[in-house]
Amino acid sequence: MLVFVTGASGFVGTSVTKELLANGHQVLGLARSPESAKKLRDLGAQVVEGSMTDHELVKETVKKADGVIHLAFNHDFSRYKENCVEDGDLVRAMGSVMVGTDKPLVVTSGTGVVLGLPDRKADSPFKEDDPYPLSADWMHRMHSELPTYELAKQGVRAMVVRLTPTVHGAGDKGFIPRFIAKARESGVAAYVEDGANVWPAVHRDDAAVVFRLALEKGTAGSAYHAVAESGIPFKDIAGVIGKNLNVPVKSISQEEAGPHFGFLGIFAGLSNLTSSEKTKAELGWAPKQINLLEDMEQSYF
């Protein structure tokens, strides 16, 4: 299968590209810089040079492909809502040339889409088929999910893969390195209140397998969870940071989290217990990589 992959040279995208190539697929990667293009060619992928904001280029590329995995996303949190709206527009653009083809379209979202949803209990694992926000005004990442489900009703084998807040592995530039940097700067590895709030996690190579399996045999309209560990207490994450930096591990109040962490304060206190049982059963996915805390010990300091 010739697979068009947006974000193919990114942290998760590189693993997805390798996973697809290793399993007999061809990859057509979107690259916005010469460096990204070279990286993809070195991996053995074909390249389309351009930006995901160029919808006409994207649509023409989608027409050539047998399937699409959409990973690219602008992670500038200063304009998060706008980025989510733009991502939804891109999903619609890609899907518009796939209607009636039954080709697979795998769109990326996050397990945090249900955070704060009324009547959700923090100690109840978020399952793939659980109710999700029906309005993107409630959780902006639904701008990506809702059009995907609409396309699934229009003859596109469209589905969602939700990633965990931390997708870990060597080269990670996400939340964990930022919390480590904050601990270095402040001289304390902090957690919020009792630190019992939990983060799900997955290694990027395990996540890549979910994307491939969804592409190959996922069901239209489904959501899958790339979740290897359903919930790691944030206090344990802070403990590994404190141990390796030789700084105190300390509880701070919810009110102190913002001033201490900055924009990371929201994430430090989130609890996102998440199940992937349906994903494992339906796709035959079995995570094999190192867990988060062990990976932190080996690769993050």
Side-chain angles (χ1 to χ4, degrees):
M1 189 184 297
L2 177 61
V3 187
F4 176 43
V5 181
T6 70
S9 64
F11 178 67
V12 177
T14 299
S15 287
V16 171
T17 297
K18 291 177 180 178
E19 175 69 17
L20 291 170
L21 293 171
N23 284 274
H25 298 289
Q26 297 173 281
V27 173
L28 185 56
L30 182 65
R32 61 181 178 179
S33 71
E35 294 77 17
S36 294
K38 182 180 185 306
K39 180 178 181 180
L40 290 174
R41 291 191 179 100
D42 288 346
L43 290 174
Q46 302 171 47
V47 174
V48 175
E49 297 190 45
S51 167
M52 62 182 179
T53 60
D54 187 344
H55 287 189
E56 292 308 312
L57 171 66
V58 169
K59 288 193 290 187
E60 288 304 309
T61 307
V62 168
K63 290 178 185 178
K64 301 174 186 176
D66 301 310
V68 177
I69 294 178
H70 175 44
L71 290 159
F73 187 77
N74 185 342
H75 288 95
D76 177 0
F77 286 101
S78 69
R79 61 184 311 273
Y80 181 65
K81 179 180 178 179
E82 292 87 344
N83 294 339
C84 291
V85 170
E86 290 169 4
D87 195 65
D89 291 341
L90 180 57
V91 170
R92 291 185 186 89
M94 291 190 291
S96 69
V97 294
M98 300 177 75
V99 170
T101 65
D102 199 37
K103 291 181 179 180
L105 168 63
V106 185
V107 172
T108 308
S109 183
T111 61
V113 291
V114 293
L115 291 174
L117 198 63
D119 301 324
R120 265 212 74 82
K121 297 179 180 178
D123 59 353
S124 177
F126 175 33
K127 300 176 182 178
E128 293 90 337
D129 293 333
D130 280 355
Y132 50 81
L134 297 177
S135 168
D137 291 333
W138 179 268
M139 185 59 71
H140 298 319
R141 204 66 170 97
M142 293 306 297
H143 281 289
S144 305
E145 290 204 21
L146 295 175
T148 305
Y149 302 136
E150 287 302 313
L151 288 165
K153 302 173 185 176
Q154 301 173 44
V156 183
R157 190 159 59 85
M159 66 212 88
V160 168
V161 170
R162 295 179 178 134
L163 292 174
T164 58
T166 178
V167 179
H168 59 94
D172 180 8
K173 294 181 174 63
F175 287 124
I176 297 298
R178 295 182 187 193
F179 282 119
I180 292 171
K182 176 55 68 174
R184 281 200 177 99
E185 173 192 322
S186 65
V188 61
Y191 56 89
V192 180
E193 303 294 352
D194 63 0
N197 60 295
V198 297
W199 277 32
V202 67
H203 191 281
R204 66 171 178 168
D205 291 345
D206 280 330
V209 179
V210 177
F211 280 98
R212 174 180 63 81
L213 292 173
L215 177 89
E216 293 173 346
K217 55 184 179 181
T219 304
S222 290
Y224 298 105
H225 287 172
V227 175
E229 297 177 89
S230 62
I232 305 160
F234 195 83
K235 185 177 181 179
D236 293 352
I237 295 172
V240 172
I241 294 173
K243 170 190 168 186
N244 284 273
L245 295 184
N246 195 27
V247 298
V249 180
K250 176 185 175 184
S251 169
I252 61 175
S253 69
Q254 190 66 60
E255 292 71 26
E256 293 173 302
H260 178 83
F261 286 114
F263 85 93
L264 291 171
I266 298 172
F267 302 100
L270 71 78
S271 200
N272 189 206
L273 186 66
T274 306
S275 169
S276 58
E277 293 309 308
K278 175 194 170 182
T279 300
K280 292 172 181 174
E282 188 172 314
L283 299 182
W285 178 57
K288 298 177 181 177
Q289 303 300 323
I290 191 171
N291 68 37
L292 173 63
L293 299 184
E294 292 173 335
D295 200 7
M296 287 175 65
E297 291 274 8
Q298 293 186 18
S299 306
Y300 281 69
F301 299 95

